[in-house]
Amino acid sequence: MLLRTSRRTRPDCARRARGRAVAGCAAVAVALAAPLVTAGPAAALPKAPVVDFNGDGFADLATAAPEATVSGVRFAGYVAVVYGSSAGADTAHPLIVSRALPWVPGEPSPHRFGMSTAARDLDGDGYTDLVVGAYEGAAVLWGSASGLSSATALDGTVSKLAGGDFNGDGKADLALAHDGLLQVRLGPFTRDGAPAGTNVFPEDERKETWDVIAGDMNGDGKDDLVTTHGFEERSYATLWWPGTATGVDTEHSRTTGSASVGGVVADVDGDGYGDYVGRRVDAVSEMRMYEAGNVRVVYGGPDGPSTRTTSITQNTAGVPGVSEAGYRNNDDSDYGDQFGAELAAGDVTGDGYPDIAVGVPGEDIGSVRDAGSVVLLKGGPSGLTGTGAQAFDQSDTGVPGVSEAGDRFGGAVTLLDVNANDRADLAVAAPTEDGTYKDSGAVWLFRGSKAGLTTNNITSFGPSVLKAPEQGALLGSAFAR
């Protein structure tokens, strides 16, 4: 059984939703509800609203540790919430949410609480709420003036989530997926999670849904749904499902071209149509870890995905690095760079064009295998290009830590404005970073500026800083967006 959830609006929400990241959202989520408006050529799409659990106007960061041991139960999992402030991320006062908390329904169990997350103002009270998926025991955590403070249980498995407004009514909707099941729950929701309506997609046991991504690609003021698919070792074509006045059209999808995984929808060229940015993959999905990586942009238009596309790799002019594939054998396998393994959108420079953060978790740093890096691609009138691209890893001056084999820095990324200066900041994770224990995970927060990302005043933290369970936690496995 799939998830249920909820939402409303409040007049003073506009104060909190001012200038933030980008139009569109990723497989794992978006935030505070804000009505969309009809857009056309040269009319940029509305900015995505801020994830703000306590309503103070600063974006909050929620990151998952689904493998963590909680109350002695391995793989119980938790979500770490770090609130934003005028000084940036407040790591001194985190909230560690697991099923061990008295106000979270259920008890710790080996079901990977936090395996998926979505942030959205589900009940419309002006505070962003957080949906937390799990194999069993999913929940909605309700925002308030004091942050996340109460929860409602959700039955069933919730493995993929995305928030949007698929019917353009200004009410928050949720797209939900698990294996071959795909649904859209339409707001408004009640506090017990009951939606106003549901769009049910045809079930296909031979086609698993890997990712759900929301964003308005045809500029009609309604979010569309982009889904990626595969089965066993095969990758299938990525599909676009248009939003309508009654929700997502579940019968008339259209392919966006080749197979892809993950991604975001963001108007990277500012023409009023959302563009799908995803990682292009080969037909044999089990080889993904060994690919060099390829970020593909499918530009939107009045009819949705257009024939205008762009591919960007580390061999593209202006992009730091070199595209490197890995190899697989029984004795000494080496991962490829996996450029585009994780993607996020946000306006880092404040120029009005969304930029794209690209995780490159398999990047070798010198002779250090799979240490990982992150690349920022700049949006502009010509769309997404390599011009002005930036790259960072743990060996760079000013970046805390050391590049170590298997860290997979760049294994998760998100862009959000934690200090409310109208420039997105980059959160990047290394889920297999070792702390006191192996694979405890860690997160870095780079500040945005007019010139791009900067290494000044980077905030970094692992479970020990947050006083959270550490051993094998894989903190930073994903971010709520």
Side-chain angles (χ1 to χ4, degrees), residues 3 7 41 55 61 78 103 132 146 179 320 351 386 433 443:
L3 154 75
R7 133 135 230 200
L61 180 67
Y78 63 82
W103 53 269
V132 181
S146 57
D179 292 339
D351 65 356
E433 172 85 5
V443 173

Side-chain angles (χ1 to χ4, degrees), residues 185-208:
R185 302 289 175 90
L186 300 171
F189 294 78
T190 63
R191 267 274 178 152
D192 65 1
T198 302
N199 302 145
V200 180
F201 292 70
E203 185 175 351
D204 187 346
E205 294 181 354
R206 297 170 298 175
K207 180 185 287 185
E208 295 178 358

Side-chain angles (χ1 to χ4, degrees), residues 396-461:
D396 290 334
T397 301
V399 179
V402 177
S403 294
E404 298 170 312
D407 279 351
R408 298 187 63 74
F409 183 85
V413 294
T414 191
L415 288 163
L416 70 170
D417 185 7
V418 297
N419 57 356
N421 68 348
D422 293 323
R423 292 187 175 92
D425 309 303
L426 169 68
V428 54
T432 47
E433 172 85 5
D434 294 342
T436 305
Y437 299 95
K438 181 177 174 60
D439 294 343
S440 54
V443 173
W444 291 254
L445 190 68
F446 292 71
R447 299 292 184 90
S449 74
K450 185 176 181 179
L453 294 171
T454 174
T455 56
N456 296 330
N457 301 314
I458 291 177
T459 301
S460 64
F461 59 88

Side-chain angles (χ1 to χ4, degrees), residues 95-310:
L95 173 66
I96 307 303
V97 183
S98 74
R99 296 179 71 191
L101 288 180
W103 53 269
V104 177
E107 298 179 352
S109 56
H111 294 138
R112 292 176 169 83
F113 186 82
M115 65 183 290
S116 59
T117 51
R120 192 80 179 180
D121 183 6
L122 301 175
D123 60 354
D125 63 355
Y127 302 101
T128 307
D129 311 306
L130 183 66
V131 184
V132 181
Y135 283 113
E136 289 183 17
V140 176
L141 314 178
W142 303 103
S144 70
S146 57
L148 299 173
S149 56
S150 61
T152 299
L154 298 167
D155 296 331
T157 298
V158 180
S159 57
K160 299 295 178 184
L161 289 162
D165 182 6
F166 299 108
N167 56 6
D169 66 353
K171 310 295 193 298
D173 309 320
L174 284 173
L176 317 150
H178 178 67
D179 292 339
L181 298 174
L182 178 61
Q183 291 185 0
V184 166
R185 302 289 175 90
L186 300 171
F189 294 78
T190 63
R191 267 274 178 152
D192 65 1
T198 302
N199 302 145
V200 180
F201 292 70
E203 185 175 351
D204 187 346
E205 294 181 354
R206 297 170 298 175
K207 180 185 287 185
E208 295 178 358
T209 299
W210 286 346
D211 307 285
V212 286
I213 301 104
D216 183 5
M217 293 191 70
N218 59 7
D220 67 353
K222 305 173 186 66
D223 280 335
D224 311 310
L225 187 66
V226 176
T227 56
T228 70
H229 303 272
F231 185 69
E232 295 180 347
E233 77 282 2
R234 303 296 298 176
S235 303
Y236 295 156
T238 298
L239 300 177
W240 173 77
W241 312 77
T244 74
T246 56
V248 175
D249 185 338
T250 62
E251 296 182 357
H252 298 92
S253 65
R254 195 170 84 229
T255 179
T256 65
S258 59
S260 58
V261 292
V264 293
V265 172
D267 185 10
V268 295
D269 59 357
D271 67 352
Y273 302 107
D275 311 308
Y276 170 61
V277 185
R279 177 188 171 191
R280 181 176 179 176
V281 293
D282 291 336
V284 181
S285 62
E286 62 185 10
M287 296 304 293
R288 261 190 277 170
M289 301 294 284
Y290 306 97
E291 293 174 0
N294 184 328
V295 172
R296 182 170 179 264
V297 185
V298 179
Y299 288 92
D303 298 317
S306 71
T307 57
R308 179 189 169 204
T309 63
T310 299

Side-chain angles (χ1 to χ4, degrees), residues 65-70 72-78 431-441 462-464 467-475:
E67 304 278 303
T69 298
V70 177
V73 180
R74 193 179 181 192
F75 305 130
Y78 63 82
T432 47
E433 172 85 5
D434 294 342
T436 305
Y437 299 95
K438 181 177 174 60
D439 294 343
S440 54
S464 61
K467 297 180 174 56
E470 184 174 4
Q471 189 168 8
L474 297 181
L475 179 71

